[in-house]
Amino acid sequence: MERSEVRGEGFAMAKSSFYFPILVFFTLGNFGFVLPTAIADLTSPYLSPNTIFPEYQKMLHTFRIFICSPQNTKNSISYNTPAESLFHASLVNSPFETLYPEEAHLFFVLFPSDFSARSISRFVRDLRFELPYWNRTLGADHFYMSCTGLSYESDRNLVELKKNSVQISCFPTPHGKFIPHKDITLPPLTLNSPLPSLPQSPVNKTATFLGYFRSYGDREESQSSLVNELSGDPDFVIGSNAFDRLTHMARLASSKFCLFFYAVDVSGIEDALRFGCVPVVITDGPIQDLPFLDVLRWSEMAVFVGTGGGGKDLKHVLKRACKDGSYERMRGLGMKASQHWVWNESPQPYDAFHMVLYQLWSRRHVIRYARRQLV
């Protein structure tokens, strides 16, 4: 058995102490929706409310990351998305970076978005031979950032990087390029100015619409029979992406639920959470790459539905949530959790940058091999 295989088993055992949520799909007719898998503390949006705050404080004081970068690229890396750029800039200007690799809990394998697979392989090969840290875990205490995720390759260096190292990708990540329980995603960052906070968010009784869907003009989305059906229902408002921000803000504030097609655009989830508009994510399969999936109680903050039942079944599910009290609970938990989706040029406590770091911090426990002496 090769060392990489042994290491894979060790990695699984090392991770077994963490609890990861599973979103379970039930069926209402032909219409799938998600219910929580366990009874939990309904006042907290966190999976482990008694753990996150002391662990977060410990992270602030002790977490150290060493950045491994190709020569002359550490401060001139180019990225495809603003979230990647801001994460990198925030890290190099934070106390979390260390210049001493022996102090590091994790190692950031830094390369630009336009690096070819061959260039990445060479870089990992250099890390293997020039530093002692890669070989002791086969890359398990390393992480890298790739918005679209890396594909599976036959090259040994890329295999170990993909299989063992933590991948930070954008949400949503293309199908097949995300490994659950190991990889994490960045919350989306839009270039538009942030929406102002409401002095008082709407409550159940004052919301005008049952659901709000902001269309982005995607062909699959525009041809969806679900969108066509909802566009004629007075309980739903369908808006174009061309609407100005104030109009968008007003519709967020006056709707109980906000609808998103998972495969099209989900960047507005942060706005929906902050304004108390419960996200409804439309997908015909399980979602494994939600931001902070191992931190937040997503099944208590959002509704996950399929397309099979059409608008009638969707409306039934949402109205039932309003009647049984689920809506108010999800709305409150979502508003509490919305702070974690916010990116700041100067990082603030519990914002997106710090919570991505918290997920890395929770993945710092790995199996390390003793170095073999050559004789």
Side-chain angles (χ1 to χ4, degrees), residues 51-209:
T51 302
I52 182 172
F53 297 108
E55 279 295 309
Y56 179 89
Q57 292 301 319
K58 186 177 180 181
M59 176 197 77
L60 291 181
H61 292 94
T62 63
F63 195 23
R64 295 295 179 266
I65 295 171
F66 182 79
I67 299 179
C68 309
S69 60
Q71 288 186 347
N72 303 319
T73 60
K74 179 178 177 181
N75 294 315
S76 59
I77 295 289
S78 61
Y79 294 108
N80 292 332
T81 67
E84 293 174 284
S85 298
L86 189 51
F87 175 83
H88 178 206
S90 298
L91 179 60
V92 298
N93 291 295
S94 76
F96 297 107
E97 183 192 5
T98 179
L99 300 179
Y100 305 100
E102 63 274 9
E103 296 180 352
H105 297 90
L106 294 179
F107 299 82
F108 185 8
V109 182
L110 183 65
F111 51 83
S113 298
D114 58 0
F115 243 32
S116 66
R118 186 174 182 180
S119 296
I120 297 173
S121 176
R122 284 202 201 101
F123 182 29
V124 173
R125 180 199 62 193
D126 293 343
L127 292 179
R128 183 192 306 279
F129 289 107
E130 294 176 6
L131 296 173
Y133 308 106
W134 183 276
N135 287 329
R136 70 182 181 179
T137 66
L138 299 186
D141 55 358
H142 291 58
F143 68 93
Y144 64 95
M145 192 157 53
S146 171
C147 186
T148 57
L150 294 184
S151 301
Y152 288 92
E153 304 283 350
S154 58
D155 178 272
R156 175 191 174 184
N157 299 309
L158 294 176
V159 167
E160 290 183 2
L161 182 68
K162 176 68 176 178
K163 177 182 177 182
N164 296 335
S165 301
V166 178
Q167 173 182 278
I168 300 179
S169 56
C170 298
F171 173 68
T173 305
H175 179 71
K177 293 188 176 182
F178 184 89
I179 301 177
H181 311 331
K182 177 181 74 69
D183 297 341
I184 59 182
T185 52
L186 298 170
L189 170 62
T190 58
L191 294 177
N192 295 326
S193 58
L195 292 174
S197 298
L198 287 178
Q200 183 176 1
S201 297
V203 296
N204 188 8
K205 294 181 180 180
T206 60
T208 305
F209 301 104

Side-chain angles (χ1 to χ4, degrees), residues 220-238:
E220 293 182 7
E221 166 197 295
S222 62
Q223 294 178 350
S224 168
S225 59
L226 178 60
V227 173
N228 293 334
E229 188 175 351
L230 295 179
S231 63
D233 192 319
D235 286 334
F236 293 85
V237 57
I238 309 296

Side-chain angles (χ1 to χ4, degrees), residues 11 18 31 161 170 195 284 320 333:
F11 184 70
F18 293 103
F31 196 77
L161 182 68
C170 298
L195 292 174
D284 286 319
R320 191 179 72 174
L333 295 179

